[in-house]
Amino acid sequence: QVQLVESGGGLVQTGGSLRLSCEASGSIVQINTMGWYRQAPGKQRELVAKITQGHQASYADSMKGRFTISRDSRNVYLQMNSLEPDDTAVYLCNLNQRPNVLSSYRDYWGQGTQVTVSS
């Protein structure tokens, strides 16, 4: 089994910052990417940022320049600056990995952490 535990969400004013953390544990053999998605009420889940084993990061356009993703070992972090009310959502940690070399890569999800940005 694989567990992803997020932390760091909360309430912040417009222009503020938050740092999210996610720790992965369990049967993890070969990581492809780790990342963050978000889902706001009534909206589809969307990619925020992801990072490869080689630390190559990619971002959704609206997050570029404001958010920074990083990782070490089995942890992934998201530094969020200049937060706006539209950033309000549940942020979910994502791990794409395979538990053994004969398996296909698959996605694993955390339960999410709430980020609320007040105007």
PDB file of all heavy atoms in Angstrom, residues 17-34:
ATOM      1  N   SER A  17       1.174  33.830   1.562  1.00  0.00           N
ATOM      2  CA  SER A  17       1.904  32.647   1.128  1.00  0.00           C
ATOM      3  C   SER A  17       1.566  31.448   2.009  1.00  0.00           C
ATOM      4  O   SER A  17       1.221  31.605   3.184  1.00  0.00           O
ATOM      5  CB  SER A  17       3.418  32.896   1.207  1.00  0.00           C
ATOM      6  OG  SER A  17       3.816  33.945   0.352  1.00  0.00           O
ATOM      7  N   LEU A  18       1.686  30.289   1.420  1.00  0.00           N
ATOM      8  CA  LEU A  18       1.567  29.025   2.143  1.00  0.00           C
ATOM      9  C   LEU A  18       2.546  28.038   1.549  1.00  0.00           C
ATOM     10  O   LEU A  18       2.874  28.122   0.360  1.00  0.00           O
ATOM     11  CB  LEU A  18       0.150  28.437   2.044  1.00  0.00           C
ATOM     12  CG  LEU A  18      -0.967  29.065   2.870  1.00  0.00           C
ATOM     13  CD1 LEU A  18      -2.302  28.455   2.485  1.00  0.00           C
ATOM     14  CD2 LEU A  18      -0.710  28.884   4.359  1.00  0.00           C
ATOM     15  N   ARG A  19       2.963  27.071   2.361  1.00  0.00           N
ATOM     16  CA  ARG A  19       3.830  25.994   1.885  1.00  0.00           C
ATOM     17  C   ARG A  19       3.175  24.665   2.206  1.00  0.00           C
ATOM     18  O   ARG A  19       2.921  24.362   3.370  1.00  0.00           O
ATOM     19  CB  ARG A  19       5.205  26.078   2.542  1.00  0.00           C
ATOM     20  CG  ARG A  19       6.174  24.974   2.134  1.00  0.00           C
ATOM     21  CD  ARG A  19       7.524  25.205   2.792  1.00  0.00           C
ATOM     22  NE  ARG A  19       8.427  24.094   2.707  1.00  0.00           N
ATOM     23  CZ  ARG A  19       9.236  23.853   1.690  1.00  0.00           C
ATOM     24  NH1 ARG A  19       9.232  24.653   0.640  1.00  0.00           N
ATOM     25  NH2 ARG A  19      10.063  22.811   1.704  1.00  0.00           N
ATOM     26  N   LEU A  20       2.889  23.910   1.176  1.00  0.00           N
ATOM     27  CA  LEU A  20       2.293  22.592   1.343  1.00  0.00           C
ATOM     28  C   LEU A  20       3.384  21.525   1.320  1.00  0.00           C
ATOM     29  O   LEU A  20       4.361  21.652   0.591  1.00  0.00           O
ATOM     30  CB  LEU A  20       1.287  22.298   0.228  1.00  0.00           C
ATOM     31  CG  LEU A  20       0.170  23.318   0.021  1.00  0.00           C
ATOM     32  CD1 LEU A  20      -0.771  22.834  -1.078  1.00  0.00           C
ATOM     33  CD2 LEU A  20      -0.589  23.573   1.302  1.00  0.00           C
ATOM     34  N   SER A  21       3.164  20.490   2.107  1.00  0.00           N
ATOM     35  CA  SER A  21       4.088  19.359   2.143  1.00  0.00           C
ATOM     36  C   SER A  21       3.314  18.075   1.957  1.00  0.00           C
ATOM     37  O   SER A  21       2.153  17.969   2.357  1.00  0.00           O
ATOM     38  CB  SER A  21       4.827  19.308   3.485  1.00  0.00           C
ATOM     39  OG  SER A  21       5.569  20.479   3.712  1.00  0.00           O
ATOM     40  N   CYS A  22       3.970  17.097   1.371  1.00  0.00           N
ATOM     41  CA  CYS A  22       3.365  15.775   1.184  1.00  0.00           C
ATOM     42  C   CYS A  22       4.446  14.725   1.383  1.00  0.00           C
ATOM     43  O   CYS A  22       5.507  14.796   0.764  1.00  0.00           O
ATOM     44  CB  CYS A  22       2.751  15.640  -0.207  1.00  0.00           C
ATOM     45  SG  CYS A  22       2.141  13.981  -0.610  1.00  0.00           S
ATOM     46  N   GLU A  23       4.154  13.777   2.250  1.00  0.00           N
ATOM     47  CA  GLU A  23       5.086  12.681   2.502  1.00  0.00           C
ATOM     48  C   GLU A  23       4.478  11.392   1.984  1.00  0.00           C
ATOM     49  O   GLU A  23       3.349  11.047   2.344  1.00  0.00           O
ATOM     50  CB  GLU A  23       5.387  12.550   3.987  1.00  0.00           C
ATOM     51  CG  GLU A  23       6.341  11.409   4.309  1.00  0.00           C
ATOM     52  CD  GLU A  23       6.650  11.308   5.786  1.00  0.00           C
ATOM     53  OE1 GLU A  23       6.044  12.045   6.577  1.00  0.00           O
ATOM     54  OE2 GLU A  23       7.509  10.472   6.139  1.00  0.00           O
ATOM     55  N   ALA A  24       5.238  10.687   1.151  1.00  0.00           N
ATOM     56  CA  ALA A  24       4.791   9.405   0.614  1.00  0.00           C
ATOM     57  C   ALA A  24       5.472   8.276   1.369  1.00  0.00           C
ATOM     58  O   ALA A  24       6.651   8.360   1.708  1.00  0.00           O
ATOM     59  CB  ALA A  24       5.124   9.316  -0.869  1.00  0.00           C
ATOM     60  N   SER A  25       4.708   7.221   1.626  1.00  0.00           N
ATOM     61  CA  SER A  25       5.272   6.059   2.301  1.00  0.00           C
ATOM     62  C   SER A  25       4.599   4.795   1.783  1.00  0.00           C
ATOM     63  O   SER A  25       3.576   4.855   1.121  1.00  0.00           O
ATOM     64  CB  SER A  25       5.077   6.172   3.818  1.00  0.00           C
ATOM     65  OG  SER A  25       3.704   6.222   4.147  1.00  0.00           O
ATOM     66  N   GLY A  26       5.207   3.654   2.103  1.00  0.00           N
ATOM     67  CA  GLY A  26       4.637   2.385   1.686  1.00  0.00           C
ATOM     68  C   GLY A  26       5.425   1.742   0.557  1.00  0.00           C
ATOM     69  O   GLY A  26       6.630   1.935   0.422  1.00  0.00           O
ATOM     70  N   SER A  27       4.727   0.999  -0.271  1.00  0.00           N
ATOM     71  CA  SER A  27       5.348   0.200  -1.344  1.00  0.00           C
ATOM     72  C   SER A  27       5.669   1.071  -2.555  1.00  0.00           C
ATOM     73  O   SER A  27       4.964   1.065  -3.556  1.00  0.00           O
ATOM     74  CB  SER A  27       4.410  -0.942  -1.743  1.00  0.00           C
ATOM     75  OG  SER A  27       4.116  -1.767  -0.642  1.00  0.00           O
ATOM     76  N   ILE A  28       6.752   1.803  -2.440  1.00  0.00           N
ATOM     77  CA  ILE A  28       7.186   2.710  -3.509  1.00  0.00           C
ATOM     78  C   ILE A  28       8.507   2.215  -4.053  1.00  0.00           C
ATOM     79  O   ILE A  28       9.476   2.104  -3.307  1.00  0.00           O
ATOM     80  CB  ILE A  28       7.320   4.153  -2.988  1.00  0.00           C
ATOM     81  CG1 ILE A  28       5.975   4.649  -2.474  1.00  0.00           C
ATOM     82  CG2 ILE A  28       7.845   5.062  -4.089  1.00  0.00           C
ATOM     83  CD1 ILE A  28       6.051   5.945  -1.699  1.00  0.00           C
ATOM     84  N   VAL A  29       8.524   1.892  -5.337  1.00  0.00           N
ATOM     85  CA  VAL A  29       9.724   1.320  -5.921  1.00  0.00           C
ATOM     86  C   VAL A  29      10.343   2.254  -6.953  1.00  0.00           C
ATOM     87  O   VAL A  29      11.521   2.565  -6.903  1.00  0.00           O
ATOM     88  CB  VAL A  29       9.439  -0.057  -6.553  1.00  0.00           C
ATOM     89  CG1 VAL A  29      10.647  -0.578  -7.317  1.00  0.00           C
ATOM     90  CG2 VAL A  29       8.999  -1.049  -5.488  1.00  0.00           C
ATOM     91  N   GLN A  30       9.531   2.684  -7.912  1.00  0.00           N
ATOM     92  CA  GLN A  30      10.075   3.510  -8.992  1.00  0.00           C
ATOM     93  C   GLN A  30       9.146   4.690  -9.256  1.00  0.00           C
ATOM     94  O   GLN A  30       8.096   4.540  -9.876  1.00  0.00           O
ATOM     95  CB  GLN A  30      10.269   2.688 -10.255  1.00  0.00           C
ATOM     96  CG  GLN A  30      11.041   3.398 -11.339  1.00  0.00           C
ATOM     97  CD  GLN A  30      11.495   2.464 -12.452  1.00  0.00           C
ATOM     98  OE1 GLN A  30      11.043   1.333 -12.545  1.00  0.00           O
ATOM     99  NE2 GLN A  30      12.388   2.933 -13.299  1.00  0.00           N
ATOM    100  N   ILE A  31       9.553   5.852  -8.787  1.00  0.00           N
ATOM    101  CA  ILE A  31       8.750   7.060  -8.933  1.00  0.00           C
ATOM    102  C   ILE A  31       8.952   7.651 -10.323  1.00  0.00           C
ATOM    103  O   ILE A  31      10.094   7.796 -10.783  1.00  0.00           O
ATOM    104  CB  ILE A  31       9.111   8.094  -7.856  1.00  0.00           C
ATOM    105  CG1 ILE A  31       8.759   7.566  -6.462  1.00  0.00           C
ATOM    106  CG2 ILE A  31       8.384   9.414  -8.121  1.00  0.00           C
ATOM    107  CD1 ILE A  31       9.203   8.470  -5.330  1.00  0.00           C
ATOM    108  N   ASN A  32       7.845   8.019 -10.950  1.00  0.00           N
ATOM    109  CA  ASN A  32       7.910   8.748 -12.222  1.00  0.00           C
ATOM    110  C   ASN A  32       7.824  10.244 -11.926  1.00  0.00           C
ATOM    111  O   ASN A  32       8.750  10.993 -12.219  1.00  0.00           O
ATOM    112  CB  ASN A  32       6.768   8.305 -13.127  1.00  0.00           C
ATOM    113  CG  ASN A  32       6.760   9.028 -14.458  1.00  0.00           C
ATOM    114  OD1 ASN A  32       7.794   9.490 -14.927  1.00  0.00           O
ATOM    115  ND2 ASN A  32       5.593   9.154 -15.056  1.00  0.00           N
ATOM    116  N   THR A  33       6.717  10.654 -11.327  1.00  0.00           N
ATOM    117  CA  THR A  33       6.544  12.060 -10.948  1.00  0.00           C
ATOM    118  C   THR A  33       5.830  12.153  -9.606  1.00  0.00           C
ATOM    119  O   THR A  33       5.136  11.228  -9.181  1.00  0.00           O
ATOM    120  CB  THR A  33       5.705  12.842 -11.971  1.00  0.00           C
ATOM    121  OG1 THR A  33       4.399  12.273 -12.050  1.00  0.00           O
ATOM    122  CG2 THR A  33       6.344  12.838 -13.349  1.00  0.00           C
ATOM    123  N   MET A  34       6.021  13.283  -8.951  1.00  0.00           N
ATOM    124  CA  MET A  34       5.207  13.681  -7.805  1.00  0.00           C
ATOM    125  C   MET A  34       4.654  15.058  -8.125  1.00  0.00           C
ATOM    126  O   MET A  34       5.297  15.841  -8.853  1.00  0.00           O
ATOM    127  CB  MET A  34       6.018  13.707  -6.516  1.00  0.00           C
ATOM    128  CG  MET A  34       6.541  12.338  -6.099  1.00  0.00           C
ATOM    129  SD  MET A  34       7.325  12.352  -4.461  1.00  0.00           S
ATOM    130  CE  MET A  34       5.867  12.404  -3.408  1.00  0.00           C
TER     131      MET A  34
END
